[in-house]
Amino acid sequence: MIIAVDGPAASGKGTVARGLARHYGLPHLDTGLLYRAVAHNVRRLDLDPAVEADAVAACDFDDRLLDDLSLRDDETGKLASIVSAHPLVRAALFQRQRRFARQPGGAVLDGRDIGTVIAPDADAKLFVKAAAPVRARRRHAELAGRGADVPYEQVLDDIRARDARDTARDAAPLTQAADAAALDTSTLTAAAAVARAIQLVDERVRVRAGGQGPIP
Ligand code: CDP
């Protein structure tokens, strides 16, 4: 079974994807980490993230880099959303993601274009969202927990700027796939969001198998 989970920054898609992977016993790939790895290399090699050829030159990395905790900082996220707008960067990372999705037994992938580009044939697709101020509060708390002292207003501005970049780009923009179920986590705890996601996936799978279930 392939499960595609997409959504904007701090919407809870990572929590939902990890919860689904645990529940169904599937391997999970956080595809944002791949773009973050490219961003990390761009900085390390002193390249220009806005120049496509520079960003492409940073696409060659070992999977071990994905475990590097520094990939998760805010600056790397911002840089990732710049390098990810280049079509050739997306092309360079495409096969890696598709291979992961199509491994025997299936997988859960989360990102921005899983249901639309990487796994359009997924068995279940979720689009996880939450109001921007809620997402900013979550990200702010996460950063504070890691000792980063960033004002809330700045986190909110960053989230809005990232949303704008991710949805406005020409290459695989962030958008809800026509056949994806929306999951708004604004008022849900992490556990409630995962429980609802499991319900939605079970419904999707039942509908695809020709059984009874709510209309998508
Ligand atoms: O968790 P958060 O949304 O902060 O970041 P992420 O999922 O790690 O993604 C970082 C950036 O990578 C996003 O802002 C997107 O621009 C880009 N990305 C993408 O373009 N396509 C994906 N499948 C995943 C991430």
Side-chain angles (χ1 to χ4, degrees):
M1 171 164 71
I2 301 176
I3 305 177
V5 182
D6 290 301
S11 57
K13 64 184 181 311
T15 303
V16 161
R18 280 190 301 277
L20 290 171
R22 227 180 359 257
H23 180 78
Y24 295 104
L26 293 170
H28 165 231
L29 179 64
D30 170 357
T31 63
L33 281 179
L34 303 178
Y35 294 93
R36 285 170 179 265
V38 176
H40 171 93
N41 275 347
V42 159
R43 201 170 34 204
R44 188 176 56 86
L45 301 168
D46 204 19
L47 299 167
D48 183 348
V51 173
E52 186 162 34
D54 275 20
V56 169
C59 283
D60 199 17
F61 56 83
D62 192 281
D63 275 349
R64 274 173 303 187
L65 176 58
L66 304 180
D67 297 325
D68 188 326
L69 286 180
S70 75
L71 293 193
R72 295 171 193 274
D73 69 32
D74 224 34
E75 199 44 46
T76 308
K78 231 181 284 177
L79 259 186
S81 97
I82 296 171
V83 298
S84 70
H86 299 304
L88 291 178
V89 168
R90 307 200 71 85
L93 300 178
F94 178 82
Q95 279 308 336
R96 206 172 185 143
Q97 298 173 76
R98 180 149 279 188
R99 250 197 326 273
F100 192 91
R102 297 204 170 158
Q103 64 186 291
V108 181
L109 289 86
D110 75 85
R112 301 291 190 287
D113 63 341
I114 308 303
T116 50
V117 176
I118 303 297
D121 54 344
D123 300 281
K125 299 180 187 177
L126 299 183
F127 191 80
V128 183
K129 52 190 181 178
V134 175
R135 292 188 281 126
R137 269 198 299 279
R138 287 178 188 157
R139 190 49 50 97
H140 184 249
E142 205 178 300
L143 291 171
R146 279 193 251 134
D149 182 22
V150 190
Y152 166 80
E153 290 302 332
Q154 190 187 318
V155 177
L156 181 58
D157 285 351
D158 283 354
I159 289 241
R160 291 202 161 119
R162 194 114 76 84
D163 284 356
R165 251 197 317 269
D166 289 352
T167 48
R169 70 183 179 214
D170 291 330
L174 169 67
T175 180
Q176 181 174 344
D179 53 350
L183 171 54
D184 190 329
T185 68
S186 299
T187 60
L188 299 180
T189 62
V194 171
R196 179 70 187 131
I198 292 169
Q199 265 176 3
L200 288 169
V201 169
D202 284 346
E203 277 170 17
R204 299 268 129 178
V205 170
R206 242 191 340 264
V207 170
R208 275 174 82 98
Q212 289 300 303
I215 308 298

